[in-house]
Amino acid sequence: MYLASVGPLRTPLRRVPGNVVALGIVSLVTDVSAEMVTAILPLYLVFGLGLNPLQFGLLDGLYAGATAVLRLVGGHVADRWGRLKTVAGVGYALSAISKLGFLAAGSTVPAIGAVLAVDRAGKGIRTAPRDALISLSSPPETMGRSFGVHRALDTVGAFLGPLVATAVLWASLNDYNSVFVTSFCLAACAVILLTTTVRDHTPPPPAPTQLRIFGLLRDRDFRRCCVWAAALGLFTITDSFVYLAVQRRWDIATSLFPLLPLGTAGTFLVLAIPLGRLGDRIGRWKVFLAGHLALILALLLICGPTGTWWLVLALHGTFYAATDGVLPAAVGPLLPEQLRASGLAVLQTGQALARMAAAVTVGLLWTLWDLRPAILAITLALLAVTIAAAILKPLEVRR
């Protein structure tokens, strides 16, 4: 029996649809697998293979942007076939298989880049159908809470991933291949959980041809939301660079580096549901922009003479809690049901391409100017765009 079939589940925060909880559990296991690799990757590439900031920025940009086109493909195919769960499952399976690719890639940088591209392709395929399932399983007035619950469960996995990676490295005497094998096993378990616990959404009638994919951009609210989300993403420093900057700023031992994401994940876990509910009450766009202000403050602390690493990580987690689930919750009601996955894919593609450009830009500026000037320049640009987005108020979600 599907976990989703039991109906809404009682939680301390009233009721959450069972399908949302089932998808959250799948994401939890998947994120343990994914964050095992993410936690050790900067350490492996920068300290193990000796990549300079520009080289790492190119790989990190690839990691962030390889999902871009396939997000559109995944969203379009899921809507066209009316098989959101099936398309999401293909993406989860592709990411699982890619974990074994690290064993074959060894220390060859181009091969590692190819494996990262496959892994992110899987994420690109699954993200829009998965978020569409969450959106279609939730009442519009509580959609922020549903996304908050999903992201909270997802973040439990993000919290556990670095711990598992550290434990595996310790038990295997720093054998990175052991981490990759363990990551594959967990990712395979997530695919099985998706198949057995999540129920697909009954597809509505097909959308008229003229409304598909880019025809959605004719809607003024949706179009402006996509533009501003991409503009903010263009100056959003990726996670790996944040952790590398924290490690360098406070001279944290490399043996503790894989544990840095725990600060982000712990804050995300605590705040994901409260900020999702806050967005339902006061407006999701306001919470989304407030999250970017938290990131700006974190980056200024890295550049400034005072501050602590744990405060930076807490603000970094606040940024994700205020943005990661809040934005799709804001955009979902703007989209017709039969194009929910396609519309979210358009939104996410713009963000992915922008963050890919941001990673390359940070790597280049770090190589040319060093760490603090590079981060300060990007931070000031992000502040300017955030202020502009707040003044122009591009999105006020209809309920």
Side-chain angles (χ1 to χ4, degrees):
M1 181 176 70
Y2 293 126
L3 175 60
S5 66
V6 302
L9 302 178
R10 281 285 177 187
T11 71
L13 297 175
R14 297 161 63 183
R15 300 171 70 85
V16 176
N19 219 31
V20 174
V21 177
L23 286 163
I25 293 172
V26 171
S27 291
L28 186 158
V29 178
T30 299
D31 244 38
V32 175
S33 168
E35 293 302 322
M36 286 179 66
V37 175
T38 301
I40 68 168
L41 203 58
L43 188 69
Y44 179 53
L45 294 176
V46 175
F47 297 102
L49 301 185
L51 269 64
N52 64 41
L54 178 56
Q55 291 172 317
F56 180 77
L58 290 171
L59 278 180
D60 197 38
L62 176 65
Y63 194 70
T67 65
V69 175
L70 286 177
R71 286 177 189 263
L72 292 176
V73 174
H76 174 70
V77 171
D79 283 335
R80 185 71 177 269
W81 291 355
R83 296 291 184 269
L84 299 176
K85 174 181 169 180
T86 300
V87 175
V90 170
Y92 279 109
L94 190 60
S95 290
I97 294 171
S98 73
K99 302 301 188 295
L100 296 178
F102 286 104
L103 302 177
S107 59
T108 306
V109 175
I112 293 174
V115 173
L116 289 175
V118 173
D119 177 53
R120 294 298 88 183
K123 180 176 175 61
I125 290 172
R126 72 178 183 254
T127 299
R130 182 205 65 200
D131 283 353
L133 277 172
I134 296 170
S135 177
L136 293 168
S137 299
S138 309
E141 65 274 11
T142 61
M143 201 172 294
R145 186 197 311 135
S146 291
F147 272 97
V149 168
H150 173 268
R151 295 315 198 251
L153 289 169
D154 181 271
T155 306
V156 171
F159 189 86
L160 293 175
L163 292 176
V164 175
T166 302
V168 171
L169 281 176
W170 176 81
S172 64
L173 302 178
N174 292 323
D175 180 9
Y176 288 101
N177 286 341
S178 298
V179 176
F180 300 139
V181 171
T182 306
S183 176
F184 164 75
C185 294
L186 289 169
C189 290
V191 176
I192 295 172
L193 284 171
L194 177 75
T195 304
T196 57
T197 65
V198 175
R199 186 169 56 190
D200 210 349
H201 181 77
T202 303
T209 302
Q210 67 270 23
L211 292 181
R212 291 178 185 157
I213 303 292
F214 292 107
L216 290 167
L217 294 173
R218 295 174 185 172
D219 181 273
R220 178 176 176 269
D221 288 336
F222 176 66
R223 181 178 66 251
R224 296 183 70 183
C225 180
C226 289
V227 169
W228 281 109
L232 290 164
L234 192 60
F235 302 104
T236 299
I237 296 177
T238 57
D239 297 356
S240 295
F241 272 119
V242 171
Y243 300 140
L244 285 171
V246 168
Q247 188 275 332
R248 178 170 170 178
R249 169 68 174 79
W250 283 279
D251 196 25
I252 295 171
T254 55
S255 60
L256 299 177
F257 184 88
L259 300 179
L260 290 179
L262 295 181
T264 297
T267 308
F268 193 169
L269 177 60
V270 171
L271 295 180
I273 297 174
L275 290 181
R277 295 184 68 201
L278 182 64
D280 289 338
R281 291 200 302 269
I282 70 171
R284 294 158 189 156
W285 185 252
K286 296 175 183 176
V287 174
F288 178 70
L289 291 181
H292 285 82
L293 292 177
L295 177 61
I296 289 167
L297 181 56
L299 297 175
L300 290 176
L301 288 176
I302 291 175
C303 297
T306 61
T308 59
W309 59 267
W310 56 265
L311 180 57
V312 170
L313 296 180
L315 289 167
H316 192 228
T318 302
F319 160 69
Y320 275 112
T323 59
D324 192 61
V326 171
L327 184 60
V331 173
L334 302 177
L335 300 166
E337 285 192 13
Q338 63 267 42
L339 287 174
R340 192 67 55 89
S342 299
L344 291 174
V346 172
L347 173 74
Q348 294 160 358
T349 295
Q351 282 188 302
L353 290 173
R355 291 187 179 184
M356 177 176 67
V360 176
T361 301
V362 173
L364 177 61
L365 294 180
W366 190 336
T367 302
L368 295 176
W369 298 347
D370 201 22
L371 171 63
R372 290 189 182 182
I375 292 182
L376 186 59
I378 293 293
T379 302
L380 292 177
L382 178 61
L383 177 61
V385 176
T386 303
I387 292 173
I391 293 174
L392 297 179
K393 297 179 181 178
L395 174 67
E396 192 61 42
V397 177
R398 300 187 296 267
R399 301 195 178 171

